[in-house]
Amino acid sequence: MPIKFQTFEKDDAVLITTSGDISEEEIIAMRTKTLDVLNETGIQNFVVDMTHVNSFLEHSTAKTYEMGKEFVKMEFPLSMRTAVILPASQKVREQAELLHLVEINRARPELEYVASYEEALAWFRR
């Protein structure tokens, strides 16, 4: 699985690093593990580094939209905050932004685009 979780208790943050081609099953698994980590640690600050994602959901706009709609069913707490480092690829970046827009329109917890882990930590401290 091209998705890795690292917990940094001193930063009160979890770093999720993704790379390669991400499938629907992997996104669902990442969402499930995120909730598990949140419940186990109590940490509510997540950084998702998508810099090295080449594609997800087969570049499908329809699948991206549907995956965004499914987000609300996971019942993430509204107190959770997610900082996202967007993919380097412009095409994949636009797809990620569409996914997040659909999620936000369905009551997604707070989300911010950042350029680095350090910038994410600064945002969490605000």
Side-chain angles (χ1 to χ4, degrees), residues 61-103:
T61 301
K63 286 182 181 182
T64 300
Y65 179 79
E66 289 303 316
M67 185 60 61
K69 283 179 28 180
E70 293 295 316
F71 184 86
V72 73
K73 293 179 183 176
M74 299 291 298
E75 297 183 5
F76 285 88
L78 292 178
S79 55
M80 179 182 166
R81 297 178 354 154
T82 306
V84 178
I85 304 169
L86 287 167
S89 161
Q90 183 62 35
K91 182 177 181 179
V92 181
R93 176 184 295 247
E94 289 169 4
Q95 187 181 6
E97 290 171 339
L98 172 63
L99 176 71
H100 296 141
L101 178 63
V102 174
E103 292 173 352

Side-chain angles (χ1 to χ4, degrees), residues 27-40:
I27 290 175
I28 292 168
M30 179 178 69
R31 289 174 174 177
T32 300
K33 179 150 177 132
T34 297
L35 281 173
D36 290 345
V37 169
L38 187 147
N39 291 326
E40 291 168 11

